[in-house]
């Protein structure tokens, strides 16, 4: 059976932390679907097409990594794509507590396993919200994101 993992998030934008988690998970799974969740109530800095393009460009040389978008529950998307794993990155203890509750709920509702990877020490402080704040204030956001992410 093919080991398919879904790495869900808004990726507004993808950061070096996300990039690191995906790269390190490539040997663990046969296929990784980076799944951009769409939330109509959320205001994004980057359009869905821009976020998708950033990720596709980052992993254009990795055929086992694909990008998709979805609405609704992550577990429903996982069922649709036949994924048995949800991939999540943990930066700190607060992330763990939050993600643990979601993982338990997902497991109860669907039997999907959540696999946690710790972020690398050199990227553990980076979050998309910090990157957006740096961009809004004219800072050197390029130090926090893959080369594919560039503001026009």
């Amino acid at each position: 059976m093919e080991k398919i993992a879904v790495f869900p998030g808004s990726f507004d934008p993808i950061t070096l932390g996300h990039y690191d988690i995906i790269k390190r998970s490539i040997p663990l799974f046969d296929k990784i679907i980076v799944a951009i969740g769409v939330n109509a109530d959320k205001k994004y800095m980057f359009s869905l097409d821009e976020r998708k393009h950033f990720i596709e460009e980052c992993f254009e040389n990795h055929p086992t990594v694909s990008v998709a978008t979805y609405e609704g529950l992550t577990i429903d998307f996982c069922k649709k794509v036949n994924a048995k794993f949800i991939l999540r990155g943990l930066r700190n203890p607060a992330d763990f507590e939050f993600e643990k509750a979601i993982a338990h709920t997902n497991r109860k509702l669907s039997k999907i396993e959540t696999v946690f990877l710790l972020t690398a020490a050199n990227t553990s402080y980076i979050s998309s919200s910090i990157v957006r704040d740096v961009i809004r204030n004219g800072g050197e956001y390029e130090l926090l994101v893959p080369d594919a992410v560039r503001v026009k």
Side-chain angles (χ1 to χ4, degrees):
M1 182 167 65
E2 194 174 33
K3 290 184 293 184
I4 301 171
V6 167
F7 185 36
S10 59
F11 304 101
D12 187 33
I14 185 172
T15 69
L16 288 176
H18 296 129
Y19 181 83
D20 174 64
I21 294 293
I22 298 165
K23 285 281 285 194
R24 289 175 32 225
S25 68
I26 289 172
L28 304 176
F29 300 101
D30 299 316
K31 186 176 182 184
I32 300 163
I33 302 168
V34 181
I36 305 171
V38 178
N39 181 343
D41 297 330
K42 198 169 177 184
K43 178 96 170 93
Y44 298 104
M45 176 174 273
F46 296 95
S47 73
L48 186 59
D49 286 340
E50 287 174 311
R51 290 179 279 148
K52 193 170 188 263
H53 176 75
F54 293 154
I55 299 165
E56 287 171 342
E57 190 174 321
C58 286
F59 296 98
E60 64 187 351
N61 295 321
H62 297 277
T64 62
V65 177
S66 63
V67 185
T69 61
Y70 74 101
E71 293 184 52
L73 295 176
T74 301
I75 57 171
D76 290 338
F77 178 75
C78 289
K79 289 175 190 172
K80 180 180 167 186
V81 298
N82 202 29
K84 303 294 184 224
F85 304 94
I86 294 174
L87 176 64
R88 299 299 293 159
L90 298 174
R91 293 173 298 180
N92 54 50
D95 277 358
F96 174 73
E97 289 301 324
F98 177 74
E99 294 291 345
K100 180 178 76 166
I102 295 170
H104 285 310
T105 304
N106 288 340
R107 180 95 171 99
K108 177 84 170 172
L109 296 175
S110 69
K111 307 297 183 226
I112 291 174
E113 292 289 352
T114 300
V115 176
F116 297 111
L117 290 183
L118 298 177
T119 56
N122 63 332
T123 63
S124 64
Y125 64 94
I126 303 171
S127 70
S128 292
S129 57
I130 288 173
V131 171
R132 290 191 304 272
D133 196 44
V134 171
I135 291 169
R136 272 193 288 278
N137 290 288
E140 291 185 64
Y141 72 92
E142 299 90 348
L143 302 173
L144 307 172
V145 296
D147 290 341
V149 179
R150 291 298 172 255
V151 176
K152 298 171 188 169

